[in-house]
């Protein structure tokens, strides 16, 4: 891939047995635009509701997405804060207001973070799922997590506003804010669409567009319409669909 190519990275967040139907629909939705490569963010034990390995049909779908050309990415381990340190004034904005208590990797002791990453990676390996990336729930992680990921051999992580290549000789973080919707309330959906329209206007002049989807996004006609416009316009402008893994490895 030429470094001059313009890239479109769509990521599908929060794949787990409970979102199986939603992610399946998103994969089909993207295929409708000829987009057959995205980064699918898989959660091993979503909200402590048991390991995804208990759902054979879901595992078969994930394997199928990998075979079809999508990238699988480790996305937290539990995606919640049930076993996290008590909340402090300095973290409460992120844990309660910015997210709905999902910022699992915000303040884990390093040894706990490492154990969860190892366990997640082992689960992926046992399923035959390749992964070179890790994305923390809500993109929130303690400052030492990227270094830990690098030591463990991960090739990249991402934040809302940047892609972070890791490991020896890695390039600097690549600034690029992801398009992303908040759907918890009507006003949030409306505000998201206004915000994303402006953000897209800036991104289309760059050589990288990141679009992050969450399981409920396609349920809302307002968001679906905007996604249709953004995807059509991006492809028309020559943005090539790719994955985070391939983008970082260019
Ligand atoms: Zn998530």
């Amino acid at each position: 891939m030429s470094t001059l190519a313009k890239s479109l990275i769509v990521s599908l967040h929060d794949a787990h047995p409970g979102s199986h139907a939603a992610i399946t629909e998103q994969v089909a939705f993207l295929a409708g635009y000829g987009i057959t490569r995205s980064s699918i963010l898989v959660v091993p034990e979503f909200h402590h509701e048991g390991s995804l390995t208990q759902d054979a049909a879901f595992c078969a779908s994930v394997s199928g997405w990998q075979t079809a050309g999508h990238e699988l990415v480790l996305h937290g381990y539990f995606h919640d804060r049930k076993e996290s340190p008590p909340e402090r004034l300095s973290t409460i904005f992120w844990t309660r207001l910015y997210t709905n208590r999902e910022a699992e990797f915000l303040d884990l002791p390093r040894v706990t973070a490492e154990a969860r990453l190892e366990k997640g990676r082992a689960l992926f390996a046992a399923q035959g799922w390749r992964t070179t990336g890790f994305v923390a729930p809500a993109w929130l992680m303690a400052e030492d997590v990227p270094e830990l990921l690098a030591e463990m051999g991960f090739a990249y992580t991402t934040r809302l506003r940047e892609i972070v290549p890791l490991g020896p000789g890695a390039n600097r973080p690549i600034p690029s804010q992801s398009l992303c919707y908040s759907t918890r309330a009507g006003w949030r959906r409306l505000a998201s669409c206004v915000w994303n329209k402006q953000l897209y206007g800036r991104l289309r002049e760059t050589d990288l567009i990141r679009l992050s989807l969450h399981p409920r996004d396609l349920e809302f006609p307002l968001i679906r319409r905007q996604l249709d416009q953004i995807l059509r316009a991006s492809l028309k402008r020559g943005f090539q669909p790719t994955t985070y893994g391939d983008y970082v490895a260019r």
Side-chain angles (χ1 to χ4, degrees), residues 214-232:
H214 286 82
R216 296 198 57 196
D217 289 358
L218 290 183
E219 290 176 25
F220 307 103
L222 188 68
I223 295 177
R224 203 182 252 268
R225 268 200 303 279
Q226 189 172 66
L227 289 172
D228 177 65
Q229 289 163 359
I230 287 175
L231 292 174
R232 276 178 201 284

Side-chain angles (χ1 to χ4, degrees), residues 13-14 41 43 46 75 79 102 135-139 214:
H13 290 233
D14 303 351
L41 277 53
V43 187
F46 189 76
H75 184 45
H79 208 289
E102 315 226 46
V135 177
W139 290 292
H214 286 82

Side-chain angles (χ1 to χ4, degrees), residues 94-176:
W94 302 105
T95 58
R96 299 288 185 92
L97 294 172
Y98 182 76
T99 71
N100 195 12
R101 299 182 206 195
E102 315 226 46
E104 179 186 7
F105 277 75
L106 183 64
D107 48 7
L108 285 181
R110 187 183 163 101
V111 60
T112 311
E114 185 172 7
R116 289 190 194 180
L117 291 166
E118 279 298 1
K119 209 171 154 192
R121 199 152 63 167
L123 181 146
F124 266 53
Q127 298 292 327
W129 301 342
R130 295 179 299 278
T131 186
T132 60
F134 171 81
V135 177
W139 290 292
L140 295 171
M141 55 193 158
E143 269 183 28
D144 60 353
V145 171
E147 183 191 299
L148 172 62
L149 292 166
E151 280 172 25
M152 294 178 71
F154 284 91
Y156 72 89
T157 186
T158 68
R159 292 192 175 91
L160 174 63
R161 295 185 180 84
E162 63 185 9
I163 300 172
V164 186
L166 301 169
N171 293 319
R172 289 162 184 277
I174 301 151
S176 177

Side-chain angles (χ1 to χ4, degrees), residues 11 38 55-56 68 70 74 110-111 145 179 183 202 211 221 236:
S11 57
S38 71
D55 189 331
H70 297 276
L74 184 61
R110 187 183 163 101
V111 60
V145 171
L179 297 157
T183 59
R202 297 201 297 274
L211 169 62
K236 202 171 162 193

Side-chain angles (χ1 to χ4, degrees), residues 6-10 35 37 207-211 230-231 234-235 239-243:
K6 296 196 287 185
S7 301
L8 167 67
I9 305 174
V10 183
I35 299 173
R37 304 176 71 218
D207 59 6
L208 175 62
I209 294 172
R210 301 168 62 201
L211 169 62
I230 287 175
L231 292 174
S234 301
L235 295 169
F239 284 86
Q240 308 274 336
T242 187
T243 64

